[in-house]
Amino acid sequence: TMAATVLSSMRIGTPWAPALWLPLILVVVAAMVTTAAEHQVPLVMWSSDRDLWAPVADTHEGHITSDMQLSTYLDPALELGPRNVLLFLQDKLSIEDFTAYGGVFGNKQDSAFSNLENALDLAPSSLVLPAVDWYAVSTLTTYLQEKLGASPLHVDLATLRELKLSATLPALLLIRLPYTASSGLMAPREVLTGNDEVIGQVLSTLKSEDVPYTAALTAVRPSRVTRDVAMVAGGLGRQLLQKQVASPVIHPPVSYNDTVPRILFWAQNFSVAYKDQWEDLTSHTFGVQTLNMTGSFWNDSFARLSLTYEQLFGTTVTFKFILANRFYPVSARYWFTMESFEIHSNGSVVYFNASQVTGPSIYSFHCEYVSTLTKKGNLLVTNMQPSLWQITLHDFQIQAFNVTGEQFSYASDCAGFFSPGIWMGLLTSLFMLFVFTYGLHMILSLKTMDRFDDHKGSSISLTQIV
């Protein structure tokens, strides 16, 4: 079955390690798997044409499909397969959803994916990718649009019945499927079952019209099944007083393009304050198709990312990231530096020195906080004190040179190698080493007596010193 195939692709092997290091390795691996799982979603594809995909050979244990690998899987279906593409896009979906609700423990009659499994069984070509990087999925709609040369059309069942699809003209149909957590009005099983029924009705409509198609099911972000469900294999249970931890919102980066992507900018949170009145611009910046980037510019040695917001603090405000790329003979390589961060409003300009935002040009720059606040590192410094403006960028990352696609290069982090904890450990170790060395020196300095009293000879006399 589809769920069993997915699970077999996700088995994780435990490498051998000495007993002394085994607990540490297990903790690190568990943390890595948990963190990575929060950024992956499954992707299931099937088509009415044959031989579109060869057997996937590299979906081994823990493998994550990147955007480049995903394009190699999609290209045959888009170039050789049907011109009608259906994208079933769910809000949240994880591989654990198939484990919990796919009937993999023998209860096939209770599977929430019966229509999906039936479609995969009957499809001449199918492809299952258990773990796809969330960023690759976030750009999937744009990628399909460019490949097909057709704008995505949001449809429902009523609209689909009225459409007249052609086998030669390309069409990209986007069908949104909801997902509700267990705290909502409907349980996840009921919602997934309803989504599966929608998939079945859409496929029945296409089958009745004898329209060739290629379909894909994926999600915007992963779900947290292990916290939502307490019923797998007799019940996962719920720990006493367990606290629900909200997963961080993952959004695509801002990308400035001329012919190809040139500047990438991302932050977990982008907040700005004017006269101590704070505004959160995160939802108005990332994942927004109509983001105003007028005034942005790029060449090999200079880049400017300009973000304009209407009606911010009652006026139009523009934020500009100014970056320069220079060659340094000492290191024999190019380095970029953020020359300044500017705020334009009401005909005035406020400049912030951001020279600490720097790194090799082949890398991106990342920092936990880029802010004007002292307690957040104070990487943005203005020459006007006190300033009416305050900015905080949490989990900040930017790249303006050597950008390949819409994905950041390796990040040069602002954090120093020696953290306070490392310094404390080093100083403590040096102090203990000094104590050990001093004690060893004292022990080696002890000398035994070289003269002893012999009862057969003259006694040892000690001259009294007055």
Side-chain angles (χ1 to χ4, degrees), residues 96 100 223-230 232 236-238 242 244:
E96 291 82 6
S223 60
R224 295 294 190 92
V225 174
T226 55
R227 289 185 173 90
D228 293 342
V229 184
V232 180
L236 292 176
R238 179 181 174 88
Q242 179 182 358
Q244 293 284 348

Side-chain angles (χ1 to χ4, degrees), residues 53-339:
W53 298 288
V56 180
D58 58 352
T59 55
H60 50 76
E61 297 86 348
H63 176 77
I64 303 175
T65 304
S66 64
D67 54 345
M68 298 299 294
Q69 293 172 325
L70 182 59
S71 63
T72 61
Y73 297 140
L74 294 175
D75 288 346
L78 300 177
E79 295 172 1
L80 305 176
R83 304 298 292 166
N84 296 304
V85 177
L86 282 73
L87 179 58
F88 296 97
L89 190 59
Q90 196 160 280
D91 290 340
K92 294 190 294 182
L93 185 66
S94 292
I95 192 65
E96 291 82 6
D97 282 305
F98 298 106
T99 306
Y101 309 112
V104 296
F105 298 103
N107 53 340
K108 294 298 296 181
Q109 67 278 4
D110 297 330
S111 175
F113 304 96
S114 57
N115 289 302
L116 179 60
E117 294 175 8
N118 184 58
L120 291 177
D121 291 337
L122 299 178
S125 300
S126 62
L127 176 68
V128 176
L129 300 176
V132 180
D133 183 69
W134 69 270
Y135 177 75
V137 174
S138 67
T139 60
L140 181 57
T141 304
T142 304
Y143 182 82
L144 294 176
Q145 179 179 351
E146 294 177 353
K147 282 291 184 178
L148 293 173
S151 300
L153 179 62
H154 296 261
V155 298
D156 52 19
L157 287 175
T159 307
L160 183 63
R161 293 189 180 98
E162 298 176 359
L163 288 177
K164 299 300 181 182
L165 300 177
S166 171
T168 56
L169 297 178
L172 176 57
L173 307 182
L174 181 60
I175 304 171
R176 298 300 299 262
L177 302 176
Y179 183 102
T180 303
S182 58
S183 59
L185 299 178
M186 298 178 63
R189 174 184 291 277
E190 298 177 6
V191 177
L192 292 173
T193 303
N195 291 345
D196 184 71
E197 292 177 357
V198 172
I199 294 175
Q201 294 174 7
V202 170
L203 298 182
S204 298
T205 302
L206 295 179
K207 184 177 180 180
S208 62
E209 297 179 2
D210 196 22
V211 176
Y213 68 91
T214 296
L217 169 66
T218 187
V220 177
R221 62 185 186 274
S223 60
R224 295 294 190 92
V225 174
T226 55
R227 289 185 173 90
D228 293 342
V229 184
M231 44 87 51
V232 180
L236 292 176
R238 179 181 174 88
Q239 296 182 0
L240 183 62
L241 300 181
Q242 179 182 358
K243 183 179 179 180
Q244 293 284 348
V245 180
S247 59
V249 178
I250 300 174
H251 37 247
V254 171
S255 176
Y256 168 68
N257 311 301
D258 43 23
T259 55
V260 294
R262 298 298 188 183
I263 307 175
L264 298 179
F265 160 59
W266 191 87
Q268 180 66 37
N269 180 270
F270 180 18
S271 298
V272 61
Y274 179 69
K275 295 182 179 180
D276 296 328
Q277 178 185 351
W278 285 91
E279 288 287 343
D280 188 353
L281 301 180
T282 308
S283 59
H284 303 287
T285 305
F286 304 100
V288 178
Q289 299 292 334
T290 58
L291 180 63
N292 188 351
M293 289 188 285
T294 303
S296 298
F297 174 78
W298 181 92
N299 59 30
D300 291 334
S301 58
F302 179 82
R304 179 178 62 239
L305 178 62
S306 179
L307 307 177
T308 301
Y309 301 86
E310 304 288 343
Q311 298 303 318
L312 179 61
F313 303 113
T315 185
T316 300
V317 182
T318 301
F319 302 95
K320 294 184 179 181
F321 300 83
I322 312 297
L323 300 101
N325 188 31
R326 299 184 180 90
F327 180 79
Y328 291 86
V330 176
S331 60
R333 68 193 311 179
Y334 282 91
W335 287 68
F336 75 89
T337 302
M338 186 183 292
E339 298 288 321

